[in-house]
Amino acid sequence: MSTAAEEDPALTARKKTTRAEVKAALKALTQEEMASQSAAIATHLLAQLSCFDPDAARNRSATDRPLRLGLYVHCARLSEVDTSALLVAALALPRAEVYVPVVDAPDPAAGRRAPPSMRFLQIRSLADLAPRTMGILEPTDRTPDGAPRPNLETHATDGPLDVLLMPGLAFESTGARLGRGGGFYDAFLERYARACDEHGWPRPPAVALAFDAQVLASGKVPVGSADRNVDALVTARGGVAACTPEGARACAKPRR
């Protein structure tokens, strides 16, 4: 996502250097280390994130709107935190809608770089996913019966996502986030925040999942004006750490 601030050569250079350093750190992780950390992160989230409490979901009244969760499907090639267990848990929740992103590649015939484009489509099972962008599993555009798959931004008109789980490349405990350079999540978060404000809805907390090697010291993550912070950060070592009041509310332990 291009802005005047991000076109500054010094910022661009810092981002390039930081991305290279973090990618090298991720490459040094073994498959066993990534699997272990991913499992610990899933355990932290399922135990602490309020929206994953099956009893709370089950007790929603018939007049309540569905619980809405946005999750990503991890890409092993990019060394992202594995979300398989979280997707299975989310799909098993009663009266819940699960939305997963689809990245739309810009049309080469446009002549100039098109803005980043990402949609969140509803899935009802893992069978609704198929390899697409970079081989990443994404929702098919149509359901098995041929109908258009529900799009979050046009289908869910009675309320917003309750939480959005997202990846990234580098993070700080403050919530600063550096992506991989496509700007897809930043563009979606900006657009969806505007829609929530227009409807008078609370903005959904953005919760990032990260390996320990992706969390840098304060001030080490270079960000521009278009880079959106996250509300909570989840790691194997640190567990679920809120970065904002919105993140703290989302991460409140379910009451029994």
Side-chain angles (χ1 to χ4, degrees):
M1 190 168 175
S2 178
T3 67
E6 288 192 310
E7 290 170 359
D8 173 66
L11 179 60
T12 300
R14 286 184 61 209
K15 286 188 172 186
K16 183 177 180 179
T17 298
T18 302
R19 287 188 175 112
E21 291 173 348
V22 176
K23 286 178 182 178
L26 287 173
K27 190 175 181 179
L29 294 175
T30 66
Q31 292 298 317
E32 292 74 16
E33 288 171 329
M34 287 190 287
S36 175
Q37 290 192 38
S38 291
I41 288 168
T43 297
H44 290 315
L45 278 166
L46 294 176
Q48 191 162 342
L49 208 65
S50 56
C51 66
F52 277 112
D53 180 19
D55 290 336
R58 193 175 296 110
N59 291 333
R60 295 172 75 90
S61 73
T63 58
D64 289 338
R65 67 168 179 81
L67 180 71
R68 296 195 172 104
L69 300 89
L71 289 86
Y72 71 96
V73 180
H74 79 288
C75 176
R77 280 177 52 200
L78 299 179
S79 299
E80 292 179 336
V81 172
D82 191 331
T83 56
S84 301
L86 297 169
L87 282 163
V88 170
L91 288 167
L93 288 171
R95 302 199 65 244
E97 295 178 353
V98 178
Y99 293 87
V100 174
V102 172
V103 171
D104 295 314
D107 183 359
R112 61 181 182 178
R113 186 177 184 271
S117 178
M118 185 169 69
R119 297 170 290 144
F120 277 77
L121 303 183
Q122 185 182 3
I123 64 170
R124 297 186 183 278
S125 77
L126 297 181
D128 292 337
L129 303 170
R132 193 166 164 173
T133 308
M134 292 181 61
I136 301 172
L137 292 174
E138 297 182 338
T140 56
D141 283 314
R142 293 190 174 273
T143 62
D145 62 3
R149 191 169 296 284
N151 184 320
L152 168 69
E153 295 174 80
T154 56
H155 173 70
T157 57
D158 58 345
L161 284 174
D162 290 280
V163 70
L164 173 64
L165 304 188
M166 58 189 290
L169 187 57
F171 302 92
E172 293 179 15
S173 60
T174 59
R177 172 187 178 271
L178 177 65
R180 293 181 178 271
F184 296 104
Y185 274 94
D186 291 324
F188 170 77
L189 286 170
E190 181 179 352
R191 184 176 74 246
Y192 197 62
R194 287 199 304 268
C196 288
D197 292 345
E198 290 170 1
H199 286 90
W201 298 339
R203 298 180 181 184
V207 179
L209 283 54
F211 293 116
D212 294 331
Q214 295 177 269
V215 184
L216 308 183
S218 179
K220 294 296 185 180
V221 175
V223 294
S225 59
D227 295 311
R228 300 296 299 268
N229 282 18
V230 297
D231 297 295
L233 182 61
V234 191
T235 62
R237 183 183 304 162
V240 181
C243 307
T244 66
E246 292 75 14
R249 285 194 289 271
C251 299
K253 291 183 178 180
R255 294 182 179 179
R256 299 298 183 187

